[in-house]
Amino acid sequence: MKNIRYSCLVIVLALGLAGISNPSFARVQSESVTKQAAKPKAKVKSKSKAKAKSKAKSKAKSKSISSRKKSSMRAKAKLPKRQSFGEKAGLHSEADELSLRSSVAYVIDQDTQEVLFSKNDKAVLPIASITKLMTGVVILESNLSMDEPIAITQDDIDTEKGSTSRLRPGTTLTRGELLHLALMSSENRAAHALGRTYPTGLSNFVSQMNMKAQQLGMKDTNYAEPTGLSSKNQSSAKDLATLVAYAANDPTMRELTTSVGMSVEVGRRTLNYKSTNRLVTNPQWDIDLQKTGYIAEAGQCLVMQAKIAGRKLVMVFLDSAGKFSRTADAERVRRWVELRYPAAPQT
């Protein structure tokens, strides 16, 4: 009996303990599950806040960059336009009957030497890439091989104006190809490479340019380098008219300067170039030779030999204000010549 009572007591105690521990265990388990369920929500909220902060920072950064750009543009707008030599000399204030935008203009009949139009023709100004006409003359008269390969080097990179070029150092073209690019598309590295590879070097090449100018009677002309990037390359309209008339006697100069376009193979790339003068494709014009030029000190420049109203005319426009003003001036002069000096009837 005692054993039976003892056993019953043990059973009752065991059941009591079980009853107490089960709710406790359940509460612990319930709390654990609740905490685990709550944690992801907390993470989601954290990520959402982080994204919001990131977007806010991105917007703030974007606004800051936009603000800096606008500030930079305003600063640039406030900078005064760089004046050309002609503007500084007051040449643009001189009026003419055609209201040309060029401060210097000169039109002469090459055969009769009759001056049809003249404006500040004695002014000596920077001539920009008109320089390349003399570069071409000296190269062609040197009798150097036009098939000789010439490599563009670091020395040909423009440090004067920081102008760009698609002819990277290491690019190799023939002398003839470089001359074509220099005269048609005004390629600066091409022109510099032509002078650099001249026998005895660049300095001798520039000396030859100045010697040729003296031979032609170009007393107001000076060359400092073969590209025209330096404002030290200077001349007058009368001198340039002399050079144009002389250069037009060479069939290669006529062909290359009036070429419309050219493609060159550079490694696996094909580089396409076109003329800097849109008048060469204009059917109203009959141009035998032309060259354009521009640097800030020189303004927009253009020289041509063209047939107008039955005459072979040499036209020089220097220090023109505006991107298309030089060709617009040429158009004005052409129409003026056709009205004032009509072609004689053919007999």
Side-chain angles (χ1 to χ4, degrees):
M1 289 295 289
K2 288 181 179 179
N3 289 336
I4 292 172
R5 289 175 181 173
Y6 180 77
S7 296
C8 289
L9 181 61
V10 169
I11 291 170
V12 171
L13 289 171
L15 290 172
L17 288 171
I20 293 169
S21 61
N22 283 343
S24 176
F25 175 75
R27 284 196 301 272
V28 172
Q29 191 175 27
S30 175
E31 289 176 4
S32 176
V33 170
T34 303
K35 286 180 180 178
Q36 288 177 357
K39 282 181 181 177
K41 290 183 180 178
K43 286 183 178 178
V44 170
K45 288 181 180 178
S46 176
K47 287 181 179 178
S48 178
K49 287 181 180 178
K51 285 183 179 179
K53 286 182 179 179
S54 177
K55 285 183 179 179
K57 285 182 179 179
S58 179
K59 285 183 179 179
K61 187 176 181 180
S62 177
K63 286 182 180 179
S64 176
I65 292 172
S66 177
S67 176
R68 286 199 298 269
K69 283 184 178 179
K70 287 180 181 178
S71 177
S72 177
M73 289 174 67
R74 285 195 295 268
K76 286 181 180 179
K78 289 179 181 178
L79 288 175
K81 177 182 172 292
R82 189 174 181 182
Q83 287 189 317
S84 67
F85 278 35
E87 287 174 320
K88 290 178 180 178
L91 298 181
H92 281 275
S93 61
E94 182 170 334
D96 63 81
E97 61 180 301
L98 299 181
S99 300
L100 301 182
R101 297 291 303 279
S102 302
S103 69
V104 172
Y106 190 63
V107 182
I108 184 171
D109 185 314
Q110 186 174 324
D111 294 326
T112 66
Q113 293 298 297
E114 179 186 0
V115 178
L116 306 186
F117 189 90
S118 178
K119 177 183 178 182
N120 295 321
D121 57 29
K122 296 179 181 178
V124 178
L125 298 173
I127 57 174
S129 286
I130 307 301
T131 297
K132 293 183 178 74
L133 279 183
M134 184 60 84
T135 298
V137 167
V138 173
I139 287 294
L140 288 172
E141 293 186 354
S142 68
N143 295 318
L144 296 169
S145 172
M146 292 294 109
D147 296 322
E148 180 182 346
I150 295 175
I152 301 296
T153 71
Q154 292 289 336
D155 292 334
D156 300 318
I157 295 176
D158 167 30
T159 57
E160 179 80 22
K161 295 290 188 294
S163 61
T164 59
S165 169
R166 288 183 287 166
L167 297 183
R168 302 169 183 169
T171 299
T172 300
L173 298 174
T174 65
R175 180 176 280 110
E177 288 173 324
L178 293 176
L179 182 60
H180 194 163
L181 292 179
L183 292 175
M184 177 197 74
S185 198
S186 214
E187 229 298 337
N188 291 314
R189 290 183 188 176
H192 191 276
L194 291 170
R196 175 178 54 78
T197 56
Y198 190 78
T200 70
L202 182 61
S203 59
N204 185 48
F205 182 77
V206 176
S207 294
Q208 292 299 316
M209 293 173 73
N210 285 308
M211 284 179 62
K212 190 64 184 179
Q214 291 176 8
Q215 290 174 10
L216 295 175
M218 298 168 63
K219 297 178 182 179
D220 297 323
T221 302
N222 177 72
Y223 294 105
E225 47 81 37
T227 69
L229 289 167
S230 171
S231 60
K232 293 178 181 179
N233 292 313
Q234 299 183 359
S235 188
S236 64
K238 284 186 174 181
D239 277 8
L240 292 178
T242 299
L243 175 61
V244 169
Y246 179 82
N249 290 322
D250 189 305
T252 302
M253 288 291 292
R254 293 198 303 272
E255 178 187 354
L256 298 186
T257 61
T258 58
S259 175
V260 174
M262 176 189 181
S263 297
V264 293
E265 300 296 327
V266 178
R268 297 181 180 180
R269 299 180 300 149
T270 299
L271 303 180
N272 298 309
Y273 290 85
K274 61 181 181 179
S275 174
T276 55
N277 186 354
R278 62 189 180 89
L279 295 182
V280 297
T281 59
N282 188 327
Q284 293 184 312
W285 282 87
D286 183 4
I287 302 172
D288 289 328
L289 181 139
Q290 68 81 33
K291 188 70 193 77
T292 63
Y294 171 78
I295 56 174
E297 297 92 332
Q300 300 285 344
C301 304
L302 171 66
V303 297
M304 293 189 293
Q305 185 203 70
K307 294 183 180 71
I308 300 175
R311 294 170 177 256
K312 187 184 293 184
L313 302 184
V314 173
M315 311 170 74
V316 178
F317 303 95
L318 301 180
D319 187 35
S320 189
K323 186 176 181 181
F324 302 107
S325 56
R326 60 191 177 192
T327 53
D329 282 356
E331 291 281 13
R332 287 190 186 92
V333 168
R334 179 180 63 81
R335 291 192 294 269
W336 177 78
V337 169
E338 289 171 343
L339 289 172
R340 187 165 180 173
Y341 302 93
Q346 298 295 322
T347 57

